[in-house]
Amino acid sequence: MPFSFLPFLPELFLLAGLLIFIIVGSFLNIKSNPIKILKLIVGITTFLTLLSLIYSRLQIHSVYIFENSFILDSLAWHSKLFLVVLFGASLSFGGQHLIKNKVPVFEFYTLLLISIIGSFVTISATHALSMYLGIELISLSFYGLIALQRNDSHKSEVAMKYFVLGALSSGLLLYGISMIYLQTGSFSFQEILSWVHEHNSIQDQVQVRPYFIYLGVAFIVIACSFKLGIFPFHQWMPDVYHGGNTITIMYLSFIPKLAVGILLLRFLENFVFDVYRPIFLLITILSIGSLIFGNLVAIAQTNIKRLLAYSTVSHMGFIYLTIISGSIDKSTVLFYLYSYLLTTLFVFMLLLYLDDEIPNITEIDQLRGLSTSHPFIAFCLLTSMLSLAGIPPFIGFYAKFNVLIFLAQNKLYSLVVFAALISVVGAYYYLALVKKIYFESNSSQKIPVKTFSGQSIIIGITFIVFTILSLYPEFLYKYSSFVF
């Protein structure tokens, strides 16, 4: 079969857009803050990437390239399309936030485009080296994004903490890859899984115990847990969410989560529970720990972004629940992941929208009386909080309910009860935020009504999409099942 760049076409558009962006940005007067021109280039690049994704899907459905180290299949295509749509919707936000906080705009969007390229590589990775390359492109980009405000000592401290812990997770990832190579003699996911299938019988298990596979996969799971923010590898998240710029945290909340989540799903889907029980026992411990710790600690938070950080810990733990049975259902995992990322992005959009009017909006108390001054934004926050809490009829409820059904079908009834109870506990801090918005006043601060803008259109469209998906969740579920 002749080599074709068609499966790699979206990545080529992203790379070309990045090069054009760097060339054009180099000739612009950075002191004049040419943010509109730079965002226009990023927007055109995103649109062309979207078109190339659709075109490549019409031409091919599943193909490996680069010596089976890169794949374009239904899982990769749907995830990349979802990522591009979220990224495109987010571009309307944060421009004034960057200028107000004196963040270098050129460097910011350069690193952001690199992170998108890295996420595309990670999503399509079917080889240990392409997996490492993609994850490191994402990680290095966000190290720089968080540390862009060099004159702010607190942000530099947060960036250093993120860098040190991120470097540790990268070392664990490499160590896990080396352990698997030592056992199987290959870096290819296909060849690794072929080796796994050959040793899945009980006789082979007795004769040759794959201890290095145990260690290797465990280290890879731990490394991915660092990126996802799973307990107890979440230490960087609260400080980074709290100390980082809101726009940076918005992108950090969905780009690495989607890419690494898809990678872990692709890597673990063919492991057999009976033979590789220690791996799934580890995932069980991480999942239960994340649900308990994330929900309980979030109750005590008064900072909005720290609350969202611990909320992420609990939601990632919920996603891990879908893996511990050993029979992974892609549609269940993706439905929860997509619905969570969409809702979280919506929350950050609303926070950035309010950022121009509420100086340094960080505390939950600053949202008191929002229902009076901004009734529509308050209602959007209400619906998104109820969705994150898993309260019907919003999309988050259907995502959690789908996970509980999956656990019940695998006869994990104790986990069904545990997940339901901890979700009730977790609903407290979301409802507490809603209480601040609707039932408490803020007479000391008058918030002016914001004029109509492009951001208002995006928020309106996002709210309509969110409402449709809440009323008809089967649309997102079918998308997660690769029906579309």
Side-chain angles (χ1 to χ4, degrees):
M1 179 179 178
F3 178 79
S4 173
F5 279 105
L6 190 59
F8 203 64
L9 190 61
E11 286 79 1
L12 291 178
F13 271 101
L14 280 172
L15 184 59
L18 173 62
L19 295 176
I20 294 172
F21 181 86
I22 292 174
I23 293 171
V24 173
S26 300
F27 288 97
L28 293 176
N29 183 8
I30 302 301
K31 293 183 179 180
S32 63
N33 287 320
I35 189 169
K36 291 184 178 180
I37 298 176
L38 296 177
K39 289 183 72 172
L40 177 62
I41 298 173
V42 176
I44 293 174
T45 301
T46 305
F47 180 69
L48 292 177
T49 302
L50 177 64
L51 293 180
S52 65
L53 274 169
I54 297 173
Y55 177 74
S56 61
R57 181 64 174 178
L58 294 175
Q59 299 298 316
I60 53 177
H61 290 279
S62 181
V63 64
Y64 286 90
I65 60 172
F66 301 141
E67 300 294 332
N68 291 337
S69 63
F70 189 92
I71 187 175
L72 180 64
D73 58 358
S74 295
L75 175 60
W77 186 84
H78 283 78
S79 301
K80 290 178 181 179
L81 183 64
F82 187 79
L83 177 60
V84 168
V85 171
L86 292 187
F87 181 67
S90 67
L91 286 177
S92 298
F93 295 83
Q96 294 302 316
H97 181 82
L98 292 174
I99 296 173
K100 182 173 65 176
N101 289 278
K102 299 180 180 179
V103 178
V105 177
F106 173 66
E107 290 85 348
F108 180 86
Y109 284 107
T110 300
L111 291 171
L112 199 57
L113 284 174
I114 294 174
S115 72
I116 296 295
I117 295 174
S119 66
F120 271 42
V121 174
T122 303
I123 288 170
S124 289
T126 55
H127 192 279
L129 297 182
S130 57
M131 170 179 68
Y132 182 76
L133 174 64
I135 289 178
E136 287 308 298
L137 278 175
I138 300 173
S139 300
L140 291 172
S141 299
F142 278 101
Y143 297 155
L145 285 169
I146 294 170
L148 273 180
Q149 287 183 267
R150 295 182 294 274
N151 296 328
D152 191 323
S153 59
H154 179 61
K155 287 182 171 56
S156 298
E157 179 184 348
V158 168
M160 181 57 66
K161 183 174 184 178
Y162 181 44
F163 173 75
V164 171
L165 293 176
L168 175 62
S169 69
S170 297
L172 292 175
L173 179 63
L174 282 176
Y175 194 64
I177 292 172
S178 66
M179 290 293 100
I180 293 178
Y181 180 78
L182 183 62
Q183 183 87 66
T184 64
S186 176
F187 289 120
S188 171
F189 288 2
Q190 283 184 314
E191 295 179 11
I192 292 170
L193 294 176
S194 296
W195 189 96
V196 168
H197 288 311
E198 291 174 2
H199 295 77
N200 274 344
S201 68
I202 298 300
Q203 293 181 350
D204 288 337
Q205 172 69 0
V206 172
Q207 294 174 5
V208 182
R209 288 189 176 274
Y211 291 115
F212 289 115
I213 287 284
Y214 291 161
L215 287 173
V217 176
F219 279 121
I220 290 176
V221 169
I222 290 172
C224 291
S225 298
F226 263 105
K227 308 300 182 184
L228 294 173
I230 291 289
F231 174 85
F233 312 109
H234 69 287
Q235 297 95 334
W236 60 272
M237 280 189 62
D239 290 338
V240 171
Y241 271 54
H242 186 184
N245 290 311
T246 303
I247 185 171
T248 303
I249 304 307
M250 177 180 70
Y251 290 114
L252 183 64
S253 69
F254 74 88
I255 294 176
K257 301 295 185 295
L258 179 58
V260 177
I262 298 302
L263 171 68
L264 196 60
L265 173 62
R266 189 187 298 280
F267 184 73
L268 290 177
E269 62 178 334
N270 288 310
F271 282 92
V272 177
F273 178 75
D274 292 335
V275 181
Y276 296 94
R277 188 179 297 270
I279 297 171
F280 294 100
L281 178 61
L282 170 65
I283 296 174
T284 303
I285 295 172
L286 297 178
S287 175
I288 294 174
S290 298
L291 286 168
I292 295 175
F293 183 84
N295 283 309
L296 292 182
V297 177
I299 293 175
Q301 302 306 311
T302 59
N303 182 278
I304 300 172
K305 290 191 288 185
R306 290 187 77 91
L307 184 146
L308 291 174
Y310 287 110
S311 168
T312 299
V313 174
S314 65
H315 281 284
M316 292 299 107
F318 225 97
I319 290 176
Y320 268 32
L321 282 177
T322 61
I323 302 176
I324 61 180
S325 68
S327 57
I328 301 174
D329 183 4
K330 284 184 180 180
S331 57
T332 301
V333 178
L334 294 176
F335 182 51
Y336 194 101
L337 184 62
Y338 289 162
S339 61
Y340 165 72
L341 294 179
L342 174 62
T343 308
T344 303
L345 176 62
F346 192 29
V347 173
F348 277 105
M349 284 180 176
L350 297 171
L351 293 178
L352 285 170
Y353 181 86
L354 293 172
D355 183 71
D356 294 339
E357 301 172 6
I358 306 178
N360 300 317
I361 177 170
T362 56
E363 301 300 317
I364 295 175
D365 284 341
Q366 291 177 283
L367 296 177
R368 289 184 300 172
L370 191 68
S371 60
T372 302
S373 59
H374 290 76
F376 178 66
I377 299 300
F379 185 72
C380 289
L381 277 172
L382 167 67
T383 56
S384 59
M385 289 298 113
L386 294 181
S387 178
L388 289 173
I391 297 176
F394 301 101
I395 186 69
F397 165 76
Y398 297 105
K400 286 190 175 183
F401 187 68
N402 206 34
V403 173
L404 297 181
I405 291 177
F406 174 75
L407 293 174
Q409 289 174 343
N410 285 274
K411 299 182 180 180
L412 299 172
Y413 302 114
S414 58
L415 285 177
V416 173
V417 174
F418 166 75
L421 291 176
I422 202 66
S423 294
V424 173
V425 174
Y428 172 82
Y429 53 88
Y430 295 115
L431 295 178
L433 190 147
V434 172
K435 175 179 175 290
K436 295 282 186 181
I437 295 174
Y438 276 92
F439 300 103
E440 295 186 13
S441 61
N442 189 0
S443 57
S444 62
Q445 184 182 42
K446 299 296 182 180
I447 305 175
V449 178
K450 190 168 185 175
T451 58
F452 186 79
S453 65
Q455 292 183 356
S456 306
I457 299 175
I458 300 299
I459 287 179
I461 294 174
T462 305
F463 177 74
I464 292 172
V465 171
F466 180 81
T467 303
I468 292 173
L469 293 179
S470 295
L471 295 175
Y472 304 99
E474 60 269 20
F475 289 158
L476 185 59
Y477 187 79
K478 287 181 180 180
Y479 184 84
S480 304
S481 304
F482 312 140
V483 174
F484 299 132

